[in-house]
Amino acid sequence: MFPFCINIATFLLRLCSFECGKVSAFITKKEKKDVIDGDDLKAMRKNAGISQELMARKLECDRKTISNYEQGVSDIKSKQLFRWLMLCKIDTRALLNEIRQISGSLNRHDVSKLQDDEK
């Protein structure tokens, strides 16, 4: 198994900062260690024995898009990132469980105080 570790809380913060499903482009070098970048995507894909062509078919895009993600030319959409992780056999259960806990917690509390989200 590919030794892949990610700080879940940091990933969630990054996930919450997605704009229109894309990762924000303003990440400092110091923060680089807390995000998944193109080199990480490529390493995961290669470790799983998946070609760019096969990954493109699985994600329903073209090979050039995969290349652009891996070279950092374009940002991967959040849905595609999760599919990428699953295709590469990266265990996302802990991350998904934490997201569900947060979601459930918000649903149990008075969310009416979050009016600025609805404007």
Side-chain angles (χ1 to χ4, degrees):
M1 185 74 178
F2 184 65
F4 182 77
C5 245
I6 186 164
N7 180 319
I8 292 176
T10 303
F11 184 77
L12 286 172
L13 289 172
R14 297 290 177 241
L15 188 61
C16 292
S17 70
F18 280 97
E19 296 177 20
C20 300
K22 292 188 176 183
V23 180
S24 299
F26 54 91
I27 297 173
T28 66
K29 288 181 182 178
K30 182 181 176 191
E31 293 174 311
K32 190 270 181 228
K33 65 180 180 173
D34 295 333
V35 297
I36 298 171
D37 66 7
D39 292 333
D40 298 326
L41 293 173
K42 184 176 184 176
M44 287 185 282
R45 178 184 58 75
K46 285 188 162 195
N47 184 70
I50 300 172
S51 67
Q52 284 186 338
E53 292 80 12
L54 179 57
M55 184 62 82
R57 282 196 303 274
K58 297 281 187 180
L59 295 182
E60 299 175 354
C61 62
D62 59 30
R63 191 207 57 80
K64 185 63 178 167
T65 300
I66 301 301
S67 177
N68 286 343
Y69 292 157
E70 293 180 353
Q71 293 177 13
V73 173
S74 57
D75 296 324
I76 190 167
K77 294 179 180 180
S78 56
K79 279 186 178 181
Q80 286 184 317
L81 174 59
F82 273 94
R83 289 179 66 198
W84 190 295
L85 294 172
M86 288 186 269
L87 290 167
C88 293
K89 308 279 192 262
I90 302 300
D91 188 359
T92 59
R93 288 178 295 188
L95 175 61
L96 293 174
N97 286 336
E98 191 164 341
I99 291 169
R100 287 184 188 113
Q101 286 176 345
I102 292 168
S103 179
S105 174
L106 284 176
N107 291 335
R108 286 188 299 273
H109 292 91
D110 183 16
V111 292
S112 63
K113 294 177 184 176
L114 302 175
Q115 294 174 351
D116 59 324
D117 288 348
E118 297 173 5
K119 291 180 183 178

